[in-house]
Structures are given as C-alpha cells and as structure tokens.
Amino acid sequence: MAGPDPNQKMVVVFESDNPIALDIAKSALEDAGIEFVVPDEGRIGFGVTPIINPVYRIEVLQSYEAEARGVMTDLTSKGDSEPTE
C-alpha cells in the first residue's frame, strides 16, 4: 500500500482564534479519517503566536484539501468553526 506523496504541500483548511472551534474541527477531521497537523499547537503563547489572541490553523496534504474543506463547510453550516476561504 502506497502512502501519501511526500512531494505534496500542506494547505491550511482552518483558521480560528477559538480553541473550542479548533477542537471541534480536529474531531470532525478525525471522524472523517483525514490526517492533519496543527502547526505550533504546543507552543501557543511562547513567542510563536500572539499570547493575547493566538490563531490556530489546521493543515492537510493538498490531496485531501477538497475533502477537508467539505468537512469544514459542514461545520460552518452548523455554526461550529471558521474555515479559511
């Protein structure tokens, strides 16, 4: 079984300053079986992002972008998250 193409770039499919929205989006992507990363998640507030208003991002491989955006669109139609355009 072949893994994902290592030459693919990562794309941002979610951005929010709300940590609860981040958790909801992560759960939705996990439920959909979409692998993702949250850059700098463990370093929020330590000089990587603003302490007062950090911005959380979720990135997926480009080949999963359409599927991930579909999941994010489903969430926003319920008012749960803020995907990027």
Side-chain angles (χ1 to χ4, degrees):
M1 181 169 127
D5 181 354
N7 296 319
Q8 287 190 61
K9 68 178 188 170
M10 300 295 284
V11 293
V12 176
V13 295
F14 173 89
E15 274 187 323
S16 177
D17 61 354
N18 183 337
I20 295 170
L22 173 68
D23 288 340
I24 292 168
K26 287 170 37 178
S27 292
L29 290 172
E30 288 170 355
D31 290 347
I34 300 171
E35 293 184 27
F36 61 89
V37 296
V38 181
D40 303 323
E41 182 176 29
R43 296 182 278 173
I44 300 291
F46 294 101
V48 175
T49 59
I51 293 172
I52 296 173
N53 195 17
V55 175
Y56 306 98
R57 291 178 179 82
I58 295 178
E59 297 179 357
V60 299
L61 284 173
Q62 191 172 22
S63 61
Y64 296 108
E65 180 179 10
E67 185 178 356
R69 288 194 186 279
V71 170
M72 296 296 104
T73 299
D74 290 345
L75 287 178
T76 57
S77 67
K78 298 174 188 171
D80 292 335
S81 71
E82 304 164 21
T84 60
E85 298 298 326

